[in-house]
Amino acid sequence: MTTETEQPTLTIDELAARAGVTVRTVRFYGTKGLLPPPVLGPRRVGHYGREHLARLALIEELRQQGMTLAGIERHLRQLPPDLSAHDLAIHRAVVASWAPDAVGTVTRQELERRAGRPLGEEDVERLVAMGVVRPVEDGYEADLGLLRLGVGLLDVPLSQEAISAARTVLVEHTRAAARELSQLFRGEVAERDARDVRSLSAHMHPLVVQALLTAFQRSLREELGEWLTGPPEGSAAG
């Protein structure tokens, strides 16, 4: 995988495997203009990067929600052409928030296909500990909306305890925020027609998710910046 500033290094086979799609699908999306062309290296071998992978994930998210190819083309044309992999991931998270909970039972082979990579026993154990998958008689019950996130965390150099603690913190705080926002909106629409309430909910859901993601992103960047650079000069130690 590349960083935001590194040159793309994935071959088309590696990109397809990471995205959980076929090489034929990658080429098809490329011919339709849904994916930007690869960077050509020696011997004119195409190389792909994080932006290609993130855009593929967004396309698959839209497809799984039932959007037609023409609809996906229109949707992608409305996005800024220079979105980074990080921005695309945030956009995909907002899109995913429109969908109902997607929990299904899959075989080990299907689990690996959806993960876009082979999964060892330790990998599966970590996904179970994260609450992303649960062993059942016929395979695994997987939260398909969280699977990509869980698989991404497999490569993060954090202990399982730290990841579980972080999950607890996020769940507790997001539930508190959801509760307070829900009470605020209820007070605002208490006297309105039920149809108006449903319409407001449908419009507010993705907007609130995007607002929470953006606010959290900025807050985390500020916290990490202070951690990496230290407190400002002249500040008293707390």
Side-chain angles (χ1 to χ4, degrees):
M1 186 68 70
T2 63
T3 65
E4 294 288 346
T5 57
E6 289 177 343
Q7 290 297 316
T9 59
L10 298 175
T11 66
I12 190 170
D13 297 275
E14 292 169 334
L15 175 68
R18 294 280 186 92
V21 299
T22 65
V23 170
R24 182 179 179 182
T25 297
V26 175
R27 288 184 173 135
F28 175 73
Y29 289 156
T31 60
K32 289 292 184 179
L34 302 182
L35 281 179
V39 175
L40 295 180
R43 298 188 298 276
R44 298 188 61 80
V45 175
H47 293 282
Y48 300 81
R50 293 184 63 187
E51 289 77 13
H52 294 93
L53 187 59
R55 190 169 287 266
L56 264 179
L58 174 58
I59 293 170
E60 288 300 294
E61 185 70 52
L62 294 169
R63 188 184 62 79
Q64 289 174 17
Q65 292 196 30
M67 189 175 289
T68 64
L69 183 62
I72 293 174
E73 290 183 71
R74 288 194 299 271
H75 185 91
L76 294 180
R77 278 200 301 268
Q78 294 172 0
L79 300 179
D82 57 347
L83 283 182
S84 68
H86 182 74
D87 294 330
L88 286 167
I90 290 179
H91 185 78
R92 176 175 172 261
V94 175
V95 170
S97 75
W98 306 342
D101 293 338
V103 177
T105 301
V106 295
T107 64
R108 177 62 173 267
Q109 182 179 7
E110 175 67 8
L111 181 65
E112 293 188 347
R113 189 191 71 79
R114 288 178 176 269
R117 57 183 278 183
L119 298 172
E121 291 303 322
E122 184 178 348
D123 294 332
V124 175
E125 289 175 4
R126 295 191 72 185
L127 290 174
V128 171
M130 293 179 206
V132 176
V133 302
R134 183 172 68 88
V136 293
E137 184 177 353
D138 298 329
Y140 298 91
E141 189 176 80
D143 187 326
L144 303 179
L146 288 177
L147 181 58
R148 287 285 181 180
L149 173 61
V151 171
L153 287 173
L154 294 177
D155 297 325
V156 175
L158 289 174
S159 66
Q160 184 59 50
E161 292 75 14
I163 292 176
S164 297
R167 180 178 183 274
T168 299
V169 170
L170 289 172
V171 169
E172 289 179 354
H173 284 278
T174 52
R175 281 180 177 171
R179 188 180 304 112
E180 293 186 23
L181 287 171
S182 178
Q183 292 172 351
L184 175 65
F185 294 148
R186 285 178 184 177
E188 185 70 19
V189 302
E191 304 300 325
R192 299 190 186 181
D193 182 82
R195 184 170 53 186
D196 293 335
V197 174
R198 286 192 295 270
S199 176
L200 177 64
S201 176
H203 283 84
M204 289 303 296
H205 188 182
L207 294 177
V208 168
V209 171
Q210 185 167 21
L212 287 171
L213 282 168
T214 302
F216 178 74
Q217 176 190 9
R218 290 175 179 171
S219 298
L220 185 61
R221 184 167 57 240
E222 291 172 1
E223 290 291 329
L224 289 177
E226 292 179 6
W227 174 46
L228 293 174
T229 61
E233 290 186 8
S235 63

Coordinates of all heavy atoms in Angstrom, one line a residue, residues 46-98:
G46 N 1.2 -0.9 -15.8 CA 0.4 0.0 -15.0 C 0.5 -0.2 -13.5 O 0.5 -1.4 -13.1
H47 N 0.6 0.9 -12.8 CA 0.6 0.8 -11.3 C -0.5 1.7 -10.7 O -0.7 2.8 -11.2 CB 2.0 1.2 -10.8 CG 3.1 0.3 -11.2 ND1 3.4 -0.9 -10.5 CD2 4.1 0.4 -12.1 CE1 4.4 -1.5 -11.1 NE2 4.8 -0.7 -12.1
Y48 N -1.1 1.1 -9.6 CA -2.2 1.8 -9.0 C -1.9 2.1 -7.6 O -1.0 1.5 -7.0 CB -3.4 0.9 -9.0 CG -3.9 0.5 -10.4 CD1 -3.3 -0.5 -11.1 CD2 -5.0 1.2 -11.0 CE1 -3.7 -0.9 -12.4 CE2 -5.4 0.8 -12.3 CZ -4.7 -0.2 -13.0 OH -5.2 -0.6 -14.2
G49 N -2.6 3.1 -7.0 CA -2.3 3.5 -5.6 C -3.5 3.6 -4.7 O -4.6 3.0 -5.1
R50 N -3.4 4.3 -3.6 CA -4.5 4.3 -2.6 C -5.7 4.9 -3.2 O -6.8 4.5 -2.8 CB -4.0 5.1 -1.4 CG -2.9 4.4 -0.6 CD -2.5 5.2 0.6 NE -3.7 5.3 1.5 CZ -3.7 6.0 2.6 NH1 -2.7 6.8 2.9 NH2 -4.8 6.0 3.4
E51 N -5.6 6.0 -4.0 CA -6.8 6.6 -4.6 C -7.6 5.6 -5.4 O -8.8 5.7 -5.4 CB -6.4 7.8 -5.4 CG -5.9 9.0 -4.6 CD -4.4 8.8 -4.1 OE1 -3.8 7.9 -4.6 OE2 -4.0 9.6 -3.2
H52 N -6.9 4.8 -6.2 CA -7.6 3.8 -7.0 C -8.4 2.8 -6.1 O -9.5 2.5 -6.4 CB -6.6 3.0 -7.9 CG -6.0 3.9 -9.0 ND1 -4.8 4.5 -8.8 CD2 -6.4 4.2 -10.2 CE1 -4.4 5.2 -9.8 NE2 -5.4 5.0 -10.8
L53 N -7.7 2.4 -5.0 CA -8.3 1.4 -4.1 C -9.5 2.1 -3.4 O -10.6 1.4 -3.3 CB -7.3 1.0 -3.1 CG -7.7 -0.2 -2.2 CD1 -8.1 -1.4 -2.9 CD2 -6.6 -0.5 -1.2
A54 N -9.4 3.3 -3.0 CA -10.5 4.0 -2.3 C -11.7 4.2 -3.2 O -12.8 4.1 -2.9 CB -10.0 5.3 -1.7
R55 N -11.4 4.6 -4.5 CA -12.4 4.8 -5.5 C -13.1 3.5 -5.8 O -14.4 3.5 -6.0 CB -11.9 5.4 -6.7 CG -12.9 5.9 -7.7 CD -12.3 6.8 -8.8 NE -11.8 8.1 -8.3 CZ -12.6 9.2 -8.4 NH1 -13.8 9.1 -9.0 NH2 -12.1 10.3 -7.9
L56 N -12.4 2.4 -5.9 CA -13.0 1.1 -6.1 C -14.0 0.8 -5.0 O -15.1 0.2 -5.2 CB -11.9 0.0 -6.3 CG -11.5 -0.4 -7.7 CD1 -10.4 -1.4 -7.6 CD2 -12.7 -0.9 -8.5
A57 N -13.5 1.0 -3.7 CA -14.4 0.7 -2.6 C -15.6 1.5 -2.6 O -16.7 1.0 -2.3 CB -13.6 1.0 -1.3
L58 N -15.5 2.8 -3.0 CA -16.7 3.7 -3.2 C -17.7 3.1 -4.2 O -18.9 3.1 -4.0 CB -16.3 5.1 -3.5 CG -17.4 6.1 -3.8 CD1 -18.4 6.2 -2.6 CD2 -16.8 7.5 -4.1
I59 N -17.1 2.7 -5.4 CA -17.9 2.2 -6.5 C -18.7 1.0 -6.0 O -19.9 0.8 -6.3 CB -17.1 1.9 -7.7 CG1 -16.5 3.2 -8.3 CG2 -17.9 1.1 -8.8 CD1 -15.4 2.9 -9.4
E60 N -18.0 0.1 -5.3 CA -18.6 -1.2 -4.8 C -19.7 -0.9 -3.8 O -20.7 -1.5 -3.8 CB -17.6 -2.1 -4.3 CG -16.7 -2.8 -5.3 CD -17.5 -3.6 -6.3 OE1 -18.0 -4.6 -5.9 OE2 -17.5 -3.2 -7.5
E61 N -19.5 0.2 -3.0 CA -20.5 0.6 -2.0 C -21.7 1.0 -2.7 O -22.9 0.7 -2.3 CB -19.9 1.7 -1.1 CG -20.8 2.1 0.1 CD -20.9 1.0 1.1 OE1 -19.9 0.5 1.6 OE2 -22.1 0.6 1.4
L62 N -21.6 1.9 -3.7 CA -22.7 2.4 -4.4 C -23.4 1.2 -5.2 O -24.7 1.2 -5.2 CB -22.2 3.4 -5.4 CG -21.7 4.7 -4.8 CD1 -21.0 5.6 -5.9 CD2 -22.8 5.5 -4.2
R63 N -22.7 0.3 -5.7 CA -23.2 -0.8 -6.5 C -24.1 -1.7 -5.5 O -25.2 -2.1 -5.8 CB -22.2 -1.6 -7.1 CG -22.7 -2.7 -8.1 CD -21.5 -3.5 -8.6 NE -20.8 -4.2 -7.6 CZ -21.2 -5.3 -7.0 NH1 -22.4 -5.9 -7.4 NH2 -20.5 -5.9 -6.1
Q64 N -23.5 -2.0 -4.3 CA -24.2 -2.8 -3.4 C -25.5 -2.2 -2.9 O -26.4 -2.9 -2.4 CB -23.3 -3.1 -2.2 CG -22.1 -4.1 -2.6 CD -21.2 -4.3 -1.4 OE1 -21.4 -4.0 -0.3 NE2 -20.0 -4.8 -1.7
Q65 N -25.6 -0.9 -2.9 CA -26.8 -0.2 -2.5 C -27.8 -0.1 -3.7 O -28.9 0.5 -3.5 CB -26.5 1.2 -2.0 CG -25.7 1.2 -0.7 CD -25.7 2.5 0.0 OE1 -26.7 3.3 -0.1 NE2 -24.7 2.8 0.8
G66 N -27.5 -0.8 -4.8 CA -28.5 -0.9 -5.9 C -28.4 0.2 -6.9 O -29.3 0.3 -7.8
M67 N -27.4 1.0 -6.9 CA -27.2 2.1 -7.9 C -26.8 1.5 -9.2 O -25.9 0.6 -9.2 CB -26.2 3.1 -7.4 CG -26.2 4.4 -8.3 SD -25.1 5.7 -7.6 CE -26.1 6.3 -6.2
T68 N -27.4 2.0 -10.3 CA -27.1 1.5 -11.6 C -25.7 2.0 -12.0 O -25.2 3.0 -11.4 CB -28.1 1.9 -12.6 OG1 -28.1 3.4 -12.7 CG2 -29.5 1.4 -12.2
L69 N -25.1 1.5 -13.1 CA -23.8 1.9 -13.5 C -23.9 3.4 -14.0 O -23.0 4.2 -13.7 CB -23.4 1.1 -14.7 CG -22.0 1.4 -15.3 CD1 -20.9 1.2 -14.2 CD2 -21.7 0.5 -16.5
A70 N -25.0 3.7 -14.7 CA -25.2 5.1 -15.1 C -25.3 6.0 -13.9 O -24.8 7.2 -13.9 CB -26.5 5.2 -16.0
G71 N -26.0 5.6 -12.8 CA -26.1 6.4 -11.6 C -24.8 6.6 -10.9 O -24.5 7.7 -10.4
I72 N -23.9 5.5 -10.9 CA -22.6 5.6 -10.3 C -21.8 6.6 -11.1 O -21.0 7.4 -10.6 CB -21.9 4.2 -10.3 CG1 -22.7 3.3 -9.3 CG2 -20.5 4.3 -9.9 CD1 -22.2 1.9 -9.3
E73 N -21.9 6.5 -12.5 CA -21.1 7.5 -13.3 C -21.5 8.9 -13.0 O -20.6 9.8 -12.9 CB -21.4 7.2 -14.8 CG -20.7 5.9 -15.3 CD -21.0 5.7 -16.8 OE1 -20.3 6.4 -17.6 OE2 -21.8 4.8 -17.2
R74 N -22.8 9.2 -12.9 CA -23.3 10.5 -12.5 C -22.8 10.9 -11.2 O -22.3 12.1 -11.0 CB -24.8 10.6 -12.6 CG -25.4 10.6 -14.0 CD -26.8 11.0 -14.0 NE -27.6 10.1 -13.2 CZ -28.2 8.9 -13.6 NH1 -28.1 8.6 -14.9 NH2 -28.9 8.2 -12.8
H75 N -22.8 10.0 -10.2 CA -22.4 10.3 -8.8 C -20.9 10.7 -8.8 O -20.5 11.7 -8.2 CB -22.7 9.1 -7.9 CG -22.4 9.4 -6.5 ND1 -23.3 9.8 -5.6 CD2 -21.2 9.2 -5.8 CE1 -22.8 9.9 -4.4 NE2 -21.5 9.6 -4.5
L76 N -20.1 9.9 -9.5 CA -18.6 10.2 -9.5 C -18.3 11.4 -10.2 O -17.3 12.1 -9.9 CB -17.9 9.0 -10.1 CG -18.0 7.7 -9.3 CD1 -17.2 6.6 -10.0 CD2 -17.5 7.9 -7.8
R77 N -19.0 11.8 -11.3 CA -18.8 13.0 -12.0 C -19.0 14.2 -11.1 O -18.4 15.3 -11.4 CB -19.6 13.1 -13.3 CG -19.1 12.3 -14.4 CD -19.7 12.8 -15.7 NE -21.2 12.7 -15.8 CZ -21.8 11.6 -16.2 NH1 -21.2 10.6 -16.7 NH2 -23.1 11.6 -16.2
Q78 N -19.8 14.1 -10.1 CA -20.1 15.3 -9.3 C -19.0 15.5 -8.2 O -19.0 16.5 -7.5 CB -21.5 15.1 -8.6 CG -22.6 15.1 -9.5 CD -23.9 14.7 -8.9 OE1 -24.0 14.4 -7.7 NE2 -25.0 14.6 -9.6
L79 N -18.1 14.5 -8.0 CA -17.1 14.6 -7.0 C -15.9 15.4 -7.6 O -15.6 15.3 -8.8 CB -16.6 13.3 -6.6 CG -17.6 12.3 -6.0 CD1 -17.0 11.0 -5.6 CD2 -18.2 13.0 -4.7
P80 N -15.2 16.2 -6.8 CA -13.9 16.8 -7.3 C -13.0 15.8 -7.8 O -12.8 14.7 -7.2 CB -13.4 17.5 -6.0 CG -14.6 17.7 -5.1 CD -15.5 16.5 -5.4
P81 N -12.3 16.1 -8.9 CA -11.5 15.1 -9.6 C -10.2 14.8 -8.8 O -9.5 13.7 -9.0 CB -11.1 15.7 -10.9 CG -11.2 17.2 -10.7 CD -12.3 17.4 -9.7
D82 N -9.8 15.6 -7.8 CA -8.5 15.4 -7.1 C -8.7 15.0 -5.7 O -7.8 15.2 -4.9 CB -7.7 16.8 -7.2 CG -8.5 17.9 -6.5 OD1 -9.7 17.8 -6.3 OD2 -7.9 19.0 -6.3
L83 N -9.8 14.3 -5.4 CA -10.0 13.8 -4.0 C -8.9 12.8 -3.7 O -8.6 11.9 -4.4 CB -11.4 13.1 -3.9 CG -12.6 14.1 -3.8 CD1 -13.9 13.2 -3.7 CD2 -12.5 15.0 -2.7
S84 N -8.4 12.9 -2.4 CA -7.4 12.0 -2.0 C -8.1 10.7 -1.5 O -9.3 10.6 -1.4 CB -6.7 12.6 -0.8 OG -7.5 12.7 0.3
A85 N -7.3 9.7 -1.2 CA -7.8 8.4 -0.7 C -8.6 8.6 0.6 O -9.6 8.0 0.8 CB -6.7 7.4 -0.6
H86 N -8.0 9.5 1.4 CA -8.7 9.8 2.7 C -10.0 10.5 2.5 O -11.0 10.1 3.1 CB -7.8 10.8 3.5 CG -8.3 11.1 4.8 ND1 -8.3 10.3 5.9 CD2 -8.9 12.3 5.3 CE1 -8.8 10.8 6.9 NE2 -9.2 12.1 6.6
D87 N -10.1 11.4 1.6 CA -11.4 12.1 1.3 C -12.4 11.1 0.7 O -13.6 11.1 1.0 CB -11.2 13.2 0.3 CG -10.4 14.4 0.9 OD1 -10.4 14.5 2.1 OD2 -9.7 15.0 0.1
L88 N -12.0 10.2 -0.2 CA -12.8 9.2 -0.8 C -13.4 8.2 0.3 O -14.5 7.8 0.3 CB -12.1 8.4 -1.8 CG -11.9 9.2 -3.2 CD1 -10.8 8.4 -4.0 CD2 -13.2 9.4 -3.9
A89 N -12.5 7.9 1.3 CA -12.9 7.0 2.4 C -14.0 7.7 3.2 O -15.0 7.0 3.6 CB -11.7 6.6 3.2
I90 N -13.9 9.0 3.5 CA -14.9 9.7 4.2 C -16.2 9.7 3.4 O -17.3 9.5 4.0 CB -14.4 11.1 4.6 CG1 -13.3 11.1 5.6 CG2 -15.6 12.0 5.1 CD1 -12.7 12.4 6.0
H91 N -16.1 10.0 2.1 CA -17.3 10.0 1.3 C -18.0 8.7 1.3 O -19.2 8.6 1.4 CB -16.9 10.4 -0.1 CG -18.1 10.6 -1.0 ND1 -18.9 11.7 -1.0 CD2 -18.7 9.8 -2.0 CE1 -19.9 11.6 -1.9 NE2 -19.7 10.5 -2.5
R92 N -17.2 7.6 1.2 CA -17.8 6.3 1.2 C -18.5 6.0 2.6 O -19.5 5.4 2.6 CB -16.7 5.2 1.0 CG -17.2 3.8 1.1 CD -16.1 2.8 0.7 NE -16.6 1.4 1.0 CZ -16.3 0.7 2.1 NH1 -15.5 1.3 3.0 NH2 -16.8 -0.5 2.3
A93 N -17.9 6.5 3.7 CA -18.5 6.3 5.0 C -19.9 7.0 5.0 O -20.8 6.5 5.6 CB -17.6 6.8 6.1
V94 N -20.0 8.2 4.4 CA -21.2 8.9 4.4 C -22.2 8.1 3.5 O -23.4 7.9 3.9 CB -21.0 10.3 3.9 CG1 -22.4 11.0 3.7 CG2 -20.1 11.1 4.8
V95 N -21.8 7.6 2.4 CA -22.7 6.8 1.5 C -23.2 5.6 2.2 O -24.3 5.2 2.2 CB -21.9 6.4 0.2 CG1 -22.8 5.4 -0.6 CG2 -21.7 7.7 -0.6
A96 N -22.3 4.9 3.0 CA -22.6 3.7 3.7 C -23.7 4.0 4.8 O -24.4 3.1 5.1 CB -21.4 3.1 4.3
S97 N -23.7 5.2 5.3 CA -24.6 5.5 6.4 C -26.1 5.6 5.9 O -27.0 5.5 6.6 CB -24.3 6.9 7.0 OG -24.7 8.0 6.1
W98 N -26.2 5.6 4.5 CA -27.6 5.6 4.0 C -28.2 4.2 4.0 O -29.4 4.1 4.0 CB -27.6 6.1 2.5 CG -27.0 7.5 2.3 CD1 -26.7 8.4 3.3 CD2 -26.5 8.0 1.1 NE1 -26.1 9.5 2.7 CE2 -26.0 9.3 1.4 CE3 -26.5 7.5 -0.2 CZ2 -25.5 10.1 0.4 CZ3 -26.0 8.3 -1.2 CH2 -25.5 9.6 -0.9

